Amino acid sequence: ARDMRVRWALEEVGQPYDVRLLSFSEMKEPAHRMLHPFGQIPTYEEGDLALFESGAIVFHIAERHAGLLPDDATARARAIPWMFAALNTVEPPIVDRAMATIVERDKTWYEDRLAFLDDRVRVRLGELSSRLGDADWLDDAFSAGDLLMVTVLRRLNGSGMLEKYPNLSAYVARGEARPAYKRAF
């Protein structure tokens, strides 16, 4: 589930939180659908405010608490697109690949489809690897964009794909080594 992103963000900014565990059936009940219309997790409640979608929640946290977005307006403007890139450009082919390995493994066309999906993931990893280069983070200092990107790239654990990009493997390891990440996990 994508709730790890939210817990990590809250740990990075030093905000307390409570975790409410839900069963799959509870996620589809009307009370939960009032918080998340698609019956998924995570959700976030702060007073009268209820949010859904992990990226939106992380963005909300980052806007309201120091530590996940730069104070400088230009650096902040550069950091925000990385949040969207993680969720809208890098994650979709990774999720498609993961779902295929679970749902389509027994299909006659699985190997061809997996090769296609692997190519899509490798293109994104290559582009991201080139952009990151030898930098520690995507844009100078760690930001919400890095937090989301690391959680997206972690979905490749066990696939062997990330290891072909040593700088991305090291990038994920740096994210996982952060004290806030360790506390959230």
Side-chain angles (χ1 to χ4, degrees):
R2 292 175 172 104
D3 62 315
M4 175 60 184
R5 300 166 178 176
V6 175
R7 290 195 316 266
W8 185 8
L10 288 164
E11 290 288 348
E12 284 287 347
V13 300
Q15 290 298 301
Y17 58 95
D18 293 316
V19 174
R20 184 177 59 241
L21 301 177
L22 298 171
S23 68
F24 285 110
S25 62
E26 289 171 320
M27 288 179 2
K28 303 306 178 190
E29 291 176 5
H32 183 68
R33 285 187 181 267
M34 291 298 296
L35 301 172
H36 198 305
F38 304 108
Q40 298 176 322
I41 56 173
T43 60
Y44 174 87
E45 295 174 72
E46 180 184 295
D48 293 337
L49 176 66
L51 298 174
F52 62 98
E53 292 298 325
S54 61
I57 296 167
V58 169
F59 187 51
H60 173 79
I61 293 165
E63 283 193 310
R64 281 158 182 72
H65 304 283
L68 287 175
L69 287 175
D71 291 331
D72 175 73
T74 302
R76 182 184 190 95
R78 285 192 317 264
I80 292 169
W82 284 113
M83 296 175 67
F84 288 87
L87 302 179
N88 296 327
T89 303
V90 179
E91 188 172 43
I94 292 172
V95 170
D96 287 348
R97 183 190 186 280
M99 292 305 296
T101 63
I102 296 167
V103 178
E104 301 170 0
R105 184 175 294 278
D106 62 338
K107 306 297 182 198
T108 57
W109 39 263
Y110 171 72
E111 293 300 326
D112 290 337
R113 174 135 165 85
L114 187 61
F116 168 77
L117 294 171
D118 283 351
D119 285 345
R120 286 185 60 216
V121 171
R122 278 193 290 274
V123 165
R124 289 296 181 234
L125 293 178
E127 293 165 337
L128 183 61
S129 176
S130 292
R131 172 57 174 81
L132 181 64
D134 60 0
D136 285 344
W137 306 112
L138 293 169
D139 191 63
D140 295 329
F142 177 83
S143 76
D146 295 296
L147 183 149
L148 291 172
M149 192 67 76
V150 167
T151 64
V152 165
L153 294 175
R154 287 189 77 249
R155 295 174 80 80
L156 291 169
N157 285 351
S159 72
M161 296 185 82
L162 196 59
E163 291 75 11
K164 293 181 172 59
Y165 303 88
N167 66 333
L168 295 182
S169 293
Y171 171 70
V172 170
R174 276 190 298 282
E176 293 173 332
R178 294 180 67 80
Y181 175 89
K182 291 178 181 180
R183 288 190 305 271
F185 214 96

